Amino acid sequence: HDRFGEGADSIVAGLVARFNDFPVHKMCYNHSSTTAEELRLCIEGQEQEVEASLVDEFGMTPFHILFSSSEPSEELVEVLLYRFP
Protein backbone atom coordinates (compact mmCIF):
# COMPACT_ATOMS: atom_id res chain seq x y z
CA HIS A 1 0.00 0.00 0.00
CA ASP A 2 2.73 2.48 0.95
CA ARG A 3 4.70 1.62 -2.16
CA PHE A 4 1.94 2.57 -4.63
CA GLY A 5 0.09 5.28 -2.71
CA GLU A 6 -3.37 5.63 -1.25
CA GLY A 7 -5.22 4.93 -4.51
CA ALA A 8 -3.50 1.59 -5.01
CA ASP A 9 -6.33 -0.41 -3.45
CA SER A 10 -8.88 0.92 -5.92
CA ILE A 11 -6.51 0.36 -8.83
CA VAL A 12 -5.89 -3.24 -7.80
CA ALA A 13 -9.62 -3.83 -7.29
CA GLY A 14 -10.31 -2.36 -10.72
CA LEU A 15 -7.74 -4.58 -12.39
CA VAL A 16 -8.97 -7.72 -10.63
CA ALA A 17 -12.58 -7.09 -11.65
CA ARG A 18 -11.69 -5.51 -14.98
CA PHE A 19 -13.56 -7.90 -17.24
CA ASN A 20 -16.50 -8.83 -14.98
CA ASP A 21 -19.03 -6.99 -17.15
CA PHE A 22 -17.07 -7.27 -20.39
CA PRO A 23 -17.09 -10.86 -21.69
CA VAL A 24 -15.92 -9.89 -25.19
CA HIS A 25 -13.00 -7.96 -23.71
CA LYS A 26 -12.14 -10.98 -21.56
CA MET A 27 -12.16 -13.31 -24.57
CA CYS A 28 -9.90 -10.92 -26.46
CA TYR A 29 -7.56 -10.76 -23.47
CA ASN A 30 -7.45 -14.57 -23.45
CA HIS A 31 -7.05 -14.67 -27.22
CA SER A 32 -4.66 -17.62 -27.23
CA SER A 33 -7.37 -19.90 -25.82
CA THR A 34 -10.38 -18.31 -27.56
CA THR A 35 -11.65 -19.53 -30.91
CA ALA A 36 -13.28 -17.30 -33.50
CA GLU A 37 -16.50 -19.28 -33.12
CA GLU A 38 -16.52 -18.78 -29.32
CA LEU A 39 -16.04 -15.04 -29.76
CA ARG A 40 -18.76 -14.83 -32.42
CA LEU A 41 -21.20 -16.73 -30.21
CA CYS A 42 -20.37 -14.54 -27.22
CA ILE A 43 -21.04 -11.40 -29.24
CA GLU A 44 -24.30 -12.80 -30.64
CA GLY A 45 -25.47 -14.05 -27.25
CA GLN A 46 -24.89 -10.72 -25.54
CA GLU A 47 -25.52 -8.31 -28.39
CA GLN A 48 -27.39 -5.65 -26.39
CA GLU A 49 -24.90 -5.74 -23.54
CA VAL A 50 -21.97 -5.58 -25.96
CA GLU A 51 -23.47 -2.58 -27.76
CA ALA A 52 -24.00 -0.79 -24.44
CA SER A 53 -20.54 -1.56 -23.06
CA LEU A 54 -18.07 -1.57 -25.92
CA VAL A 55 -15.69 0.65 -23.92
CA ASP A 56 -14.45 -0.60 -20.55
CA GLU A 57 -13.57 1.39 -17.42
CA PHE A 58 -10.08 2.00 -18.79
CA GLY A 59 -11.46 3.43 -22.05
CA MET A 60 -10.51 0.34 -24.03
CA THR A 61 -12.51 -1.51 -26.66
CA PRO A 62 -12.10 -5.21 -27.54
CA PHE A 63 -9.82 -4.05 -30.38
CA HIS A 64 -7.51 -2.31 -27.89
CA ILE A 65 -7.38 -5.43 -25.75
CA LEU A 66 -6.67 -7.74 -28.68
CA PHE A 67 -4.04 -5.47 -30.21
CA SER A 68 -2.22 -5.05 -26.90
CA SER A 69 -0.86 -8.54 -27.59
CA SER A 70 2.34 -8.90 -29.57
CA GLU A 71 0.61 -11.56 -31.71
CA PRO A 72 -3.13 -10.89 -31.97
CA SER A 73 -5.25 -13.62 -33.51
CA GLU A 74 -6.17 -12.77 -37.10
CA GLU A 75 -9.34 -14.85 -36.79
CA LEU A 76 -10.51 -12.89 -33.77
CA VAL A 77 -9.71 -9.60 -35.51
CA GLU A 78 -11.89 -10.71 -38.42
CA VAL A 79 -14.79 -11.53 -36.07
CA LEU A 80 -14.52 -8.11 -34.41
CA LEU A 81 -14.25 -6.28 -37.74
CA TYR A 82 -17.29 -8.10 -39.10
CA ARG A 83 -19.37 -7.19 -36.06
CA PHE A 84 -17.92 -3.73 -35.35
CA PRO A 85 -16.77 -2.30 -38.73
Side-chain angles (χ1 to χ4, degrees), residues 17 33 45 59 64:
S33 62
H64 290 112

Side-chain angles (χ1 to χ4, degrees), residues 51-71:
E51 290 287 334
S53 62
L54 196 56
V55 179
D56 70 11
E57 295 174 7
F58 293 95
M60 297 180 76
T61 68
F63 289 98
H64 290 112
I65 303 295
L66 189 58
F67 282 107
S68 65
S69 166
S70 61
E71 295 182 31

Side-chain angles (χ1 to χ4, degrees), residues 9-74:
D9 291 339
S10 62
I11 292 170
V12 170
L15 290 172
V16 168
R18 180 175 185 181
F19 300 123
N20 283 356
D21 296 323
F22 300 94
V24 174
H25 288 65
K26 185 174 185 172
M27 293 184 97
C28 290
Y29 182 78
N30 296 317
H31 66 91
S32 62
S33 62
T34 300
T35 67
E37 182 67 9
E38 289 170 333
L39 181 59
R40 186 184 64 73
L41 290 173
C42 179
I43 292 170
E44 287 178 2
Q46 307 209 1
E47 196 153 346
Q48 289 182 1
E49 292 87 352
V50 170
E51 290 287 334
S53 62
L54 196 56
V55 179
D56 70 11
E57 295 174 7
F58 293 95
M60 297 180 76
T61 68
F63 289 98
H64 290 112
I65 303 295
L66 189 58
F67 282 107
S68 65
S69 166
S70 61
E71 295 182 31
S73 163
E74 289 180 42

